[in-house]
Amino acid sequence: MVSFLKEAEELFEEYKDYAPSHKEICEIIENKEFLTKEDLAKLLNVNSKEDIMLMAKKAQKLTCENFGKVILLYAPLYIANYCQNGCVYCGFSCRKKYKREKLSFERIENELRKMKEEGIDSVIILTGEDRINSSVEYIEKACRIATDLMSEVSIEVYPLYEEEYRRLSSIGVVGITMYQETYQREDYDKLHPFGPKKDFEFRLNAPERALKAGFHEVCVGPLLGLSEPKKDVLCAILHAEYLLDKFPKAEISISFPRFRSAGTDFIPSYTVSDKEFIKFLIIARLYLPRVGIVVSTRERPSLRDALIDVCVTKMSAGSKTTVGGYAEEKDEDAEAQFEVEDRRSVSEVVDVIIKKGLRPEFTNWVKGVKSV
């Protein structure tokens, strides 16, 4: 599994100072049906707006060819924020002292029904990493409620064992999101000083365990800003490729969330500009034409809107990053895992998608389900 990481590190070191010419970029974009790993490493160093626009046009074409005009919408539901990890950057870290909360099953159902009323039919169930307060049994029961109400249920919880993923798959959970945070081990160790999350490889291998257990969808990626962004993006793209090659029938997605303040004193080592962020998403599409690309409400509305018809296939809408927050009003500034930039309602996001000539979906279109 870690072979792709070694390959990514070697590629990054070989090409980190490489500056491709405009002619070489045109040759890669216009004359190649499939990019090589060397092409990928070279394109990560593109800086000119003219070249990024050229790449964007090709990315737009590939997105339309592979995904049509559909944008899948989803929303997260945080059901608990107990956590045993000491992550230095996270709003749920046990280093941060505030009142923890865990939804009862009745409140989970109320939240899901409220989300359903707002038009959401695809949900991701989230918890912090605490096997005592957010046990597998608790997550399983919450997912049972969700699968009764929603057409698609995924999870973003702590890494599970294969048999635990199999239990969730058997009740209708189809997807897992697992951010590695950073693929750089040395930085990873510093950012996660204690707690179960300190196990780098157990987290890295979680998507593969889920797919072996019967899950159909996986989303991977880093949290940009925690380590060298180009290197993390290169690792994430090769991670997605590894999963695509090993599980060709699965739906593999990639996401590059940027660090947002989470009520801690953590200052990220790197800042990723809008230009770089856009470039990373475009390059992911150029190298992996059939990979899903997810953009969350961490990003501001104008930027999300600009990306909708270029390379994005899935986005969150009407998101709350507090525990609950849909049926019960919460103070998002004080209780959220991270700051949300796009606070528009589901209907407002839908209107933008339609105005761009695209079709919003609330269930996974690959499975031939209903549209909005």
Side-chain angles (χ1 to χ4, degrees), residues 213-263:
F215 278 53
H216 305 297
E217 302 171 24
V218 159
C219 180
V220 296
L223 179 56
L224 295 182
L226 300 185
S227 191
E228 214 295 334
K230 289 180 187 176
K231 194 172 183 180
D232 265 341
V233 166
L234 180 59
C235 290
I237 291 174
L238 294 190
H239 188 186
E241 182 182 40
Y242 167 86
L243 294 170
L244 278 167
D245 289 345
K246 190 157 188 178
F247 302 93
K249 293 183 179 179
E251 244 186 281
I252 309 300
S253 296
I254 198 164
S255 184
F256 300 135
R258 292 187 282 184
F259 175 80
R260 291 286 182 260
S261 174

Side-chain angles (χ1 to χ4, degrees), residues 79-80 82 100-104 107 132-134 138 323:
I79 62 173
Y82 288 91
R100 303 289 167 158
E101 189 175 6
K102 170 182 172 180
L103 296 181
S104 67
R107 290 174 68 194
I132 297 172
N133 290 294
S134 301
Y138 172 71
V323 175

Side-chain angles (χ1 to χ4, degrees), residues 76-219:
L77 175 60
Y78 289 77
I79 62 173
N81 58 10
Y82 288 91
C83 195
Q84 297 174 336
N85 292 317
C87 312
V88 300
Y89 55 88
C90 182
F92 281 4
S93 170
C94 66
R95 298 158 63 104
K96 187 177 177 183
K97 305 304 179 186
Y98 67 101
K99 184 181 178 182
R100 303 289 167 158
E101 189 175 6
K102 170 182 172 180
L103 296 181
S104 67
F105 297 124
E106 181 181 0
R107 290 174 68 194
I108 289 171
E109 183 172 345
N110 290 340
E111 292 290 330
L112 288 164
R113 290 191 181 280
K114 181 62 177 177
M115 294 170 76
K116 191 86 169 179
E117 286 175 15
E118 294 174 3
I120 290 296
D121 207 20
S122 178
V123 65
I124 298 181
I125 301 294
L126 298 98
T127 69
E129 187 155 355
D130 187 328
R131 280 183 170 267
I132 297 172
N133 290 294
S134 301
S135 66
V136 175
E137 291 73 23
Y138 172 71
I139 294 168
E140 182 179 3
K141 180 64 182 294
C143 289
R144 282 186 184 276
I145 297 169
T147 54
D148 284 343
L149 294 169
M150 300 284 183
S151 4
E152 181 168 276
V153 177
S154 297
I155 56 168
E156 187 178 336
V157 301
Y158 49 86
L160 304 178
Y161 293 97
E162 186 174 331
E163 184 51 43
E164 293 170 331
Y165 283 126
R166 190 168 286 110
R167 282 169 57 181
L168 297 180
S169 174
S170 71
I171 63 170
V173 179
V174 298
I176 170 183
T177 294
M178 183 63 65
Y179 294 112
Q180 188 62 25
E181 316 298 14
T182 176
Y183 287 86
Q184 314 318 312
R185 287 174 185 264
E186 187 176 336
D187 289 335
Y188 187 94
D189 284 342
K190 293 174 183 176
L191 292 161
H192 308 97
F194 62 86
K197 194 171 180 177
K198 194 167 182 63
D199 190 334
F200 178 91
E201 289 202 14
F202 189 67
R203 187 173 189 86
L204 185 66
N205 292 323
E208 188 170 350
R209 291 196 300 275
L211 290 169
K212 285 179 178 177
F215 278 53
H216 305 297
E217 302 171 24
V218 159
C219 180

Side-chain angles (χ1 to χ4, degrees), residues 280-296:
F280 292 155
L281 293 175
I282 289 169
I283 290 171
R285 169 61 65 238
L286 295 178
Y287 186 72
L288 297 173
R290 65 186 186 92
V291 79
I293 294 181
V294 182
V295 175
S296 78

